[in-house]
Amino acid sequence: MFESAELGHTIDKERFDKEEPEVRHQLLEAQYELVKKADFPVVIILAGVDGAGKGETVNLLNEWMDPRHIQTNAFRPLGEEPSGRPPMWRFWRALPPKGRTALFIGSWYTQPLINRAYGKLKKAKLDQEIERILRFERMLTDEGTLLLKFWLHLSRDGQRKRFKELSKSKKTAWRVTDTDWKHLEMYKEFMAAGEHILRATSTADAPWLVVEGTDDRYRSLTVGRTILEALRRRLDHREKPHRPRAAPRVPPIDGVTVLDRLDLSRKVETKDEYDDELATLQGRLNQLSRHKKFENISVVAVFEGQDAAGKGGAIRRVTRALDARKYDVIPIAAPTDEEKARPYLWRFWRALPERGRMAIFDRSWYGRVLVERVEGFCAEPHWMRAYGEINDFERELADNRTVVVKFWLQISKDEQLRRFEERQETPFKQHKITDEDWRNRDKWDAYHSAISDMIDRTSSEHAPWTLVEANDKYYARLKVLRTLADAIDDAL
Amino acid sequence: MFESAELGHTIDKERFDKEEPEVRHQLLEAQYELVKKADFPVVIILAGVDGAGKGETVNLLNEWMDPRHIQTNAFRPLGEEPSGRPPMWRFWRALPPKGRTALFIGSWYTQPLINRAYGKLKKAKLDQEIERILRFERMLTDEGTLLLKFWLHLSRDGQRKRFKELSKSKKTAWRVTDTDWKHLEMYKEFMAAGEHILRATSTADAPWLVVEGTDDRYRSLTVGRTILEALRRRLDHREKPHRPRAAPRVPPIDGVTVLDRLDLSRKVETKDEYDDELATLQGRLNQLSRHKKFENISVVAVFEGQDAAGKGGAIRRVTRALDARKYDVIPIAAPTDEEKARPYLWRFWRALPERGRMAIFDRSWYGRVLVERVEGFCAEPHWMRAYGEINDFERELADNRTVVVKFWLQISKDEQLRRFEERQETPFKQHKITDEDWRNRDKWDAYHSAISDMIDRTSSEHAPWTLVEANDKYYARLKVLRTLADAIDDAL
């Protein structure tokens, strides 16, 4: 994989001086067009051998292009996120909005590469990591990101020579650390790991570009030209962003879904029984939240359900059991413009709880496959891919000691009508019923199949759906509290 | 100050049960109205004696109102912000958008109060802190925030009794820490500090409300009713948000401003001279940025100037001297909707650099007193108060070992015309000139007085303006680099 990057590629000064101004000028033009159109974001990863010019390339791109529209991220290798969020959290946070360019020195490749070279990551686990990266990058490109990945390469001798040069001058000696020398000793291990990872993550939409780093001029022009060509293709619409295709869906041919099998007549017989059980469950949940080990986990609770299904009431029964300093309720309405300019899961990543805290989502990322699907806000290929992206997201949470509990509160169409009418007749409830609620109700059947698909496709072992029979509010609230308490109990 | 909060106020259960549902219902109504109108944010501080019910009150408010529209912030006392940002950074970050309510347990009062009680804060320094708080809260209320400050009080005996009660039960014993007992010993010192701080910070727009915390029912109803009344007054427009008045301005009666005294004919004689000096200064800046002590400071560089004055070119000469991993360039355009919903300085607080980094602002918070003033985007009382708020902001930065360097790049009206025409005639520069630039040019005189006022009112010892004669680009760039390097040098 690295053979042709050890050929000693060079460009002489004359040619460089002739070509550089043109590349530079066109890059700047392309960048301004990108900023102006703000159609897609650009993510550029600079990985590779130490000393091969990652830092120099980042500086050069900031020099050639307008640094005002570039954000440079230098991430050091990191085991666990200090905030307790999943490892990918910091990369999500650094994703640029449409029109902007983000450079990454240190990326989601850094940790797997080092761990593999040090022998800390077995083959099977490495392959899992690769699979995870592939899915993440697939999400990025599906969302329209122009993703460019450069591997700057040096041969072993080239690297040794480079380190020696740098060490000679007082001005640059600080750049070669003991770790660098150690990694030079491990050159073979690093290359084996790199080759494996690069091969496995070179996809049609985001291939790796291996560039020899020995000659500054060759490296600079190659990287510059590559970025320019990629930008122009997208800006001139010569290359469409990757369009995911939707796999065909076949609804259950007998028309029966999991929702139909719910026994909505379930209820708590008396108010006394409810009050007793409510107090018991809230007490239990409160104790669990004060358990010592609760500080080692996070909790994400998702509430979805039809309009008037009782999400708000159920959430309040949960929060009343908890110290207000331990939870956040996150109501999901229309995204802000900062959120709209990034992949749709970005807004949920930014709201993830720290360790020892619970985030309660009142509606959630499932809007993508519910309202956005039914209302046509989002084309089929895009909501179709959301199932997989959501599963990946929840898997990252679960892998990071986050308890994910998801509730679907289901009521019957008749019960919804009764509640709508009651809201309209009760003065202080009128604000809870809008024309939109009635319009949504007209689409009951479309929602019905969207809900069924959602439950089928996103009920996973690590983040199962709990269907809540919610015609009886008491029954629903108790089931929610019991399920949540059980899930936390299991995790402690 | 605390006398009437030691009278043993109580409310009997009967009265509470009668009044509570009404208060609660009305609070919820008011909250939904607040959310719907989204006219102003609500900030509620809960301070006071340990054991007087701060946590209980926060939980109660989350129970009475809809927790989905409340954010609860529990801040522990903190010396230095771990991220290296100024101490107020975390409070700025937690400011709610319009329509939402933020509860603060632990606030900008916590650290001064504790330090004063421990005798670590001398009277003069305490008064400085108080002055700072007054200015911050003044800014909040001027920006429309409804700010409510509760001090929950217990007498010394009442606190002792409360701690003993809590310690008795296994369920609550963990809530009384050794620090709590120690602070009980220091009751007198805490009350003296509290009394002084509360008196000094009880303003017409944000008075302290002292509430006796012994009786849960009394405390709950008092806090609830107070919040309700304050919300209703604002929602019903019985009380207008504080309208700052603008002090009269008298422009210099001879019409001469600092800008007129600039010698715009200054220039660098030859390109060679420029190239030499540029290389020297960039080298110097680079070395400074790699100085060991650079890791202990932050740098904020502000670039303002007329259209076509050469801000972008000057910024690029600075960034080329630096490693791209050490700086961020922050271009200031129209605020996003998340930014619009908060005080106007919020977007700049969120962009502040960590230790060892430089943030370069291409346009800045001075837009408030330049474009917003001239274009009338903002009423006179509001841009008039901005001078003081900006000075406070920059003082916080300077006090936090942040070097603040501000450049005004000044060109003559003729030179601007020459550059505009050049831009229009040069194909690859056309994107840099818009109709708006021409419109701004028509307002040259209005801008001229806005700029003069800005420089007069915001050139402070800790954050002086550097006026840059920019008719000659070479001269301007060298002056910028030299000034920046000198300022950093001084700080190291």
Side-chain angles (χ1 to χ4, degrees):
Chain A
M1 183 133 197
F2 305 125
E3 292 76 6
S4 75
E6 298 191 355
L7 294 174
H9 292 286
T10 54
I11 295 235
D12 61 33
K13 188 162 180 321
E14 197 183 350
R15 182 168 162 204
F16 183 83
D17 289 346
K18 210 182 116 212
E19 295 186 13
E20 189 256 4
E22 186 58 20
V23 169
R24 183 178 183 155
H25 167 65
Q26 289 186 17
L27 260 180
L28 197 61
E29 288 292 287
Q31 189 193 14
Y32 285 130
E33 207 176 316
L34 172 72
V35 171
K36 204 171 170 186
K37 288 185 177 168
D39 274 344
F40 60 92
V42 180
V43 170
I44 300 174
I45 293 180
L46 290 151
V49 175
D50 287 324
K54 285 174 285 190
E56 287 82 350
T57 305
V58 161
N59 285 327
L60 187 82
L61 291 174
N62 272 285
E63 191 178 323
W64 279 357
M65 295 162 83
D66 189 332
R68 292 177 297 179
H69 306 296
I70 295 178
Q71 59 198 54
T72 301
N73 304 293
F75 287 110
R76 283 163 207 289
L78 182 71
E80 182 157 358
E81 188 62 45
S83 72
R85 270 91 167 196
M88 287 301 289
W89 190 69
R90 54 192 188 138
F91 302 119
W92 269 92
R93 299 216 2 142
L95 292 181
K98 291 172 184 170
R100 274 179 77 90
T101 302
L103 307 178
F104 285 84
I105 300 194
S107 67
W108 40 93
Y109 288 100
T110 314
Q111 198 67 47
L113 180 70
I114 292 177
N115 285 348
R116 179 61 180 168
Y118 274 84
K120 286 190 209 158
L121 202 59
K122 297 283 161 240
K123 180 76 171 47
K125 191 85 183 68
L126 175 65
D127 287 343
Q128 274 180 20
E129 286 288 325
I130 287 171
E131 182 60 27
R132 188 186 288 230
I133 288 173
L134 285 173
R135 288 161 164 277
F136 174 66
E137 294 188 349
R138 176 67 181 263
M139 180 281 302
L140 286 182
T141 54
D142 280 354
E143 287 273 348
T145 305
L146 173 60
L147 175 60
L148 297 170
K149 306 186 292 192
F150 292 97
W151 177 274
L152 305 187
H153 191 73
L154 287 179
S155 67
R156 186 178 193 146
D157 288 344
Q159 193 179 21
R160 181 173 291 116
K161 207 174 135 198
R162 182 95 179 106
F163 284 179
K164 280 190 179 158
E165 274 168 24
L166 288 170
S167 304
K168 257 189 276 176
S169 157
K170 233 183 80 180
K171 263 188 168 171
T172 52
W174 59 276
R175 289 179 51 189
V176 188
T177 64
D178 290 349
T179 312
D180 289 333
W181 287 112
K182 184 174 167 198
H183 285 181
L184 177 59
E185 291 299 305
M186 295 167 65
Y187 187 87
K188 230 177 88 186
E189 288 79 6
F190 269 95
M191 284 313 109
E195 183 144 2
H196 179 76
I197 294 173
L198 261 62
R199 260 191 222 290
T201 56
S202 265
T203 58
D205 293 312
W208 276 98
L209 301 146
V210 179
V211 181
E212 183 166 349
T214 319
D215 180 66
D216 288 350
R217 292 189 288 260
Y218 174 83
R219 184 190 63 228
S220 303
L221 269 192
T222 306
V223 171
R225 281 192 182 286
T226 309
I227 295 175
L228 176 60
E229 172 65 14
L231 269 175
R232 283 262 56 104
R233 278 195 199 177
R234 281 290 292 277
L235 290 168
D236 303 341
H237 303 286
R238 273 186 287 143
E239 190 166 87
K240 286 267 182 325
H242 175 76
R243 272 257 141 201
R245 283 189 317 148
R249 280 172 306 126
V250 181
I253 51 176
D254 61 356
V256 178
T257 71
V258 280
L259 296 174
D260 301 313
R261 287 288 154 86
L262 284 180
D263 176 6
L264 295 183
S265 69
R266 291 200 184 183
K267 63 176 179 172
V268 179
E269 290 306 329
T270 66
K271 175 87 164 59
D272 279 352
E273 193 185 327
Y274 169 70
D275 287 341
D276 273 4
E277 184 70 7
L278 182 69
T280 309
L281 285 170
Q282 285 182 331
R284 190 174 155 224
L285 190 58
N286 183 270
Q287 276 195 312
L288 288 167
S289 75
R290 290 193 284 104
H291 194 288
K292 238 185 186 170
K293 286 192 190 158
F294 191 81
E295 295 302 312
N296 300 328
I297 65 167
S298 314
V299 180
V300 165
V302 172
F303 286 83
E304 293 280 0
Q306 284 111 339
D307 293 324
K311 292 187 295 293
I315 288 172
R316 273 197 298 281
R317 297 318 178 285
V318 171
T319 58
R320 274 179 207 166
L322 300 169
D323 188 311
R325 288 164 284 195
K326 293 216 168 192
Y327 66 82
D328 284 302
V329 184
I330 298 137
I332 300 300
T336 66
D337 47 13
E338 293 184 38
E339 291 165 346
K340 270 185 238 159
R342 293 180 174 85
Y344 79 97
L345 281 173
W346 187 78
R347 59 193 301 216
F348 307 105
W349 273 93
R350 87 196 276 218
L352 289 181
E354 293 174 49
R355 285 269 177 267
R357 291 182 63 85
M358 184 186 302
I360 298 166
F361 287 89
D362 181 1
R363 302 195 189 272
S364 69
W365 41 96
Y366 285 100
R368 189 81 165 179
V369 296
L370 294 173
V371 57
E372 290 191 45
R373 163 179 169 176
V374 173
E375 300 292 337
F377 296 157
C378 161
E380 179 163 353
H382 291 299
W383 57 257
M384 276 296 281
R385 69 178 156 86
Y387 298 113
E389 290 167 8
I390 286 172
N391 285 332
D392 292 343
F393 173 46
E394 293 175 355
R395 155 123 267 159
E396 301 239 19
L397 293 178
D399 284 354
N400 190 51
R401 304 199 305 278
T402 301
V403 180
V404 183
V405 192
K406 307 185 295 195
F407 298 105
W408 175 263
L409 273 61
Q410 172 76 14
I411 51 175
S412 66
K413 207 171 170 182
D414 290 345
E415 176 62 19
Q416 189 187 49
L417 182 63
R418 205 189 59 70
R419 292 186 188 181
F420 277 13
E421 284 170 351
E422 184 190 292
R423 285 179 177 190
Q424 280 191 318
E425 283 155 24
T426 317
F428 71 91
K429 284 188 174 173
Q430 279 163 3
H431 66 86
K432 292 177 83 175
I433 177 100
T434 64
D435 289 350
E436 207 186 318
D437 293 328
W438 289 104
R439 278 196 301 275
N440 289 344
R441 185 173 159 78
D442 287 340
K443 296 176 185 155
W444 184 275
D445 292 339
Y447 272 103
H448 192 91
S449 37
I451 299 159
S452 306
D453 282 349
M454 169 185 86
I455 289 162
D456 283 346
R457 288 163 187 258
T458 61
S459 243
S460 56
E461 204 186 331
H462 52 271
W465 275 103
T466 299
L467 303 182
V468 181
E469 302 84 346
N471 270 7
D472 180 61
K473 286 186 179 179
Y474 293 164
Y475 180 84
R477 291 170 189 170
L478 296 183
K479 183 164 180 179
V480 163
L481 278 164
R482 197 178 301 114
T483 309
L484 187 56
D486 286 348
I488 296 173
D489 213 346
D490 281 354
L492 296 179
Chain B
M1 185 134 198
F2 305 125
E3 293 75 7
S4 74
E6 298 192 355
L7 293 174
H9 291 286
T10 54
I11 294 233
D12 61 32
K13 188 162 179 319
E14 196 184 351
R15 184 169 160 203
F16 183 82
D17 288 347
K18 209 182 115 213
E19 295 186 13
E20 189 257 4
E22 186 59 21
V23 170
R24 183 176 183 157
H25 167 65
Q26 289 186 18
L27 261 179
L28 197 61
E29 288 292 285
Q31 189 193 14
Y32 284 131
E33 208 176 316
L34 171 73
V35 170
K36 203 171 172 188
K37 289 185 177 166
D39 275 343
F40 60 92
V42 179
V43 169
I44 299 174
I45 292 181
L46 290 151
V49 175
D50 286 325
K54 285 174 284 190
E56 288 83 349
T57 305
V58 161
N59 286 326
L60 186 81
L61 291 174
N62 271 285
E63 190 179 322
W64 279 357
M65 296 161 83
D66 189 332
R68 291 177 297 179
H69 306 297
I70 295 179
Q71 57 198 56
T72 300
N73 304 292
F75 287 111
R76 282 163 208 286
L78 182 71
E80 183 157 358
E81 188 61 44
S83 71
R85 271 91 167 196
M88 287 302 290
W89 190 69
R90 53 192 189 139
F91 302 118
W92 270 91
R93 299 214 3 139
L95 292 181
K98 290 172 185 168
R100 273 180 76 90
T101 302
L103 307 178
F104 286 84
I105 299 194
S107 67
W108 40 92
Y109 288 100
T110 315
Q111 198 68 45
L113 180 70
I114 292 177
N115 286 349
R116 178 62 181 167
Y118 273 84
K120 284 190 210 157
L121 202 58
K122 296 284 161 238
K123 179 75 171 46
K125 192 84 183 69
L126 174 65
D127 287 342
Q128 274 180 20
E129 286 289 325
I130 287 172
E131 183 59 26
R132 188 185 288 228
I133 288 173
L134 285 174
R135 287 160 164 280
F136 174 66
E137 293 188 350
R138 176 66 180 262
M139 178 281 301
L140 286 182
T141 54
D142 280 355
E143 287 273 349
T145 305
L146 174 59
L147 175 59
L148 297 170
K149 307 186 291 193
F150 292 97
W151 177 275
L152 306 187
H153 191 73
L154 286 180
S155 67
R156 185 177 195 149
D157 288 345
Q159 194 180 20
R160 180 173 293 117
K161 207 174 135 198
R162 182 96 179 106
F163 284 180
K164 281 191 180 159
E165 273 168 26
L166 289 171
S167 303
K168 258 190 276 177
S169 156
K170 233 182 79 181
K171 262 188 169 171
T172 52
W174 60 274
R175 291 179 50 189
V176 187
T177 64
D178 291 349
T179 312
D180 289 334
W181 287 110
K182 185 174 165 198
H183 285 182
L184 178 59
E185 292 298 305
M186 295 167 65
Y187 187 87
K188 229 176 90 188
E189 287 79 7
F190 269 95
M191 283 313 109
E195 183 143 3
H196 179 76
I197 295 174
L198 260 63
R199 260 190 222 292
T201 56
S202 264
T203 58
D205 293 312
W208 276 98
L209 300 147
V210 179
V211 181
E212 183 167 347
T214 320
D215 180 66
D216 287 350
R217 291 189 290 258
Y218 174 83
R219 185 190 63 230
S220 304
L221 268 192
T222 306
V223 171
R225 280 192 183 288
T226 309
I227 295 175
L228 176 59
E229 173 65 14
L231 270 175
R232 284 263 56 104
R233 276 194 201 180
R234 280 291 291 278
L235 290 168
D236 302 343
H237 302 285
R238 274 185 287 144
E239 191 166 89
K240 288 264 183 325
H242 175 76
R243 272 257 144 201
R245 284 189 317 147
R249 281 172 305 126
V250 181
I253 51 178
D254 62 354
V256 178
T257 71
V258 281
L259 296 173
D260 301 313
R261 289 287 154 85
L262 285 179
D263 176 6
L264 296 183
S265 68
R266 293 200 184 183
K267 61 177 178 175
V268 179
E269 290 306 329
T270 66
K271 175 89 164 57
D272 278 352
E273 194 186 325
Y274 168 69
D275 287 341
D276 274 4
E277 184 70 8
L278 182 70
T280 309
L281 285 170
Q282 285 182 330
R284 189 172 156 225
L285 190 58
N286 183 270
Q287 277 195 311
L288 287 167
S289 75
R290 291 193 284 104
H291 194 288
K292 237 186 187 172
K293 286 192 188 158
F294 191 81
E295 294 302 314
N296 301 328
I297 64 168
S298 314
V299 181
V300 165
V302 172
F303 287 83
E304 294 280 358
Q306 283 110 340
D307 292 325
K311 293 186 295 292
I315 289 172
R316 273 197 298 281
R317 297 318 179 284
V318 171
T319 57
R320 274 179 207 166
L322 300 169
D323 188 310
R325 288 163 284 193
K326 293 216 170 192
Y327 66 81
D328 284 301
V329 184
I330 298 137
I332 299 300
T336 67
D337 47 13
E338 293 184 37
E339 291 165 345
K340 270 186 238 160
R342 292 180 175 85
Y344 78 98
L345 282 173
W346 187 78
R347 58 193 301 214
F348 307 106
W349 274 92
R350 86 196 278 218
L352 289 181
E354 292 174 48
R355 286 270 176 265
R357 291 183 62 86
M358 185 186 301
I360 297 167
F361 287 90
D362 182 0
R363 302 196 190 270
S364 68
W365 41 96
Y366 286 99
R368 189 80 166 180
V369 296
L370 295 174
V371 56
E372 291 191 44
R373 163 180 170 176
V374 173
E375 300 292 338
F377 296 157
C378 161
E380 178 164 354
H382 291 298
W383 58 255
M384 275 296 282
R385 69 178 157 86
Y387 297 115
E389 289 166 8
I390 286 171
N391 285 332
D392 293 343
F393 173 47
E394 293 174 356
R395 155 123 269 161
E396 302 238 19
L397 293 178
D399 285 354
N400 190 52
R401 304 199 305 278
T402 300
V403 180
V404 183
V405 192
K406 306 185 296 194
F407 297 104
W408 175 263
L409 272 63
Q410 173 75 14
I411 51 174
S412 66
K413 207 171 170 183
D414 290 346
E415 176 62 18
Q416 190 187 48
L417 182 63
R418 205 190 57 71
R419 292 188 188 180
F420 277 13
E421 283 169 353
E422 184 190 292
R423 286 180 175 188
Q424 281 191 319
E425 283 155 23
T426 317
F428 71 90
K429 285 189 174 173
Q430 280 163 2
H431 66 85
K432 291 177 84 176
I433 177 99
T434 65
D435 290 347
E436 206 187 319
D437 294 328
W438 288 105
R439 277 196 301 274
N440 289 345
R441 184 173 160 78
D442 288 340
K443 296 178 183 153
W444 184 274
D445 294 337
Y447 272 103
H448 192 91
S449 33
I451 299 159
S452 305
D453 282 348
M454 170 185 87
I455 289 161
D456 283 346
R457 289 162 188 259
T458 60
S459 241
S460 56
E461 205 186 331
H462 52 271
W465 276 102
T466 300
L467 303 182
V468 181
E469 302 84 347
N471 269 8
D472 181 61
K473 286 185 179 181
Y474 292 165
Y475 179 85
R477 290 170 189 170
L478 296 183
K479 183 163 179 180
V480 163
L481 279 164
R482 197 178 302 114
T483 308
L484 187 58
D486 286 347
I488 296 172
D489 213 346
D490 281 352
L492 296 178

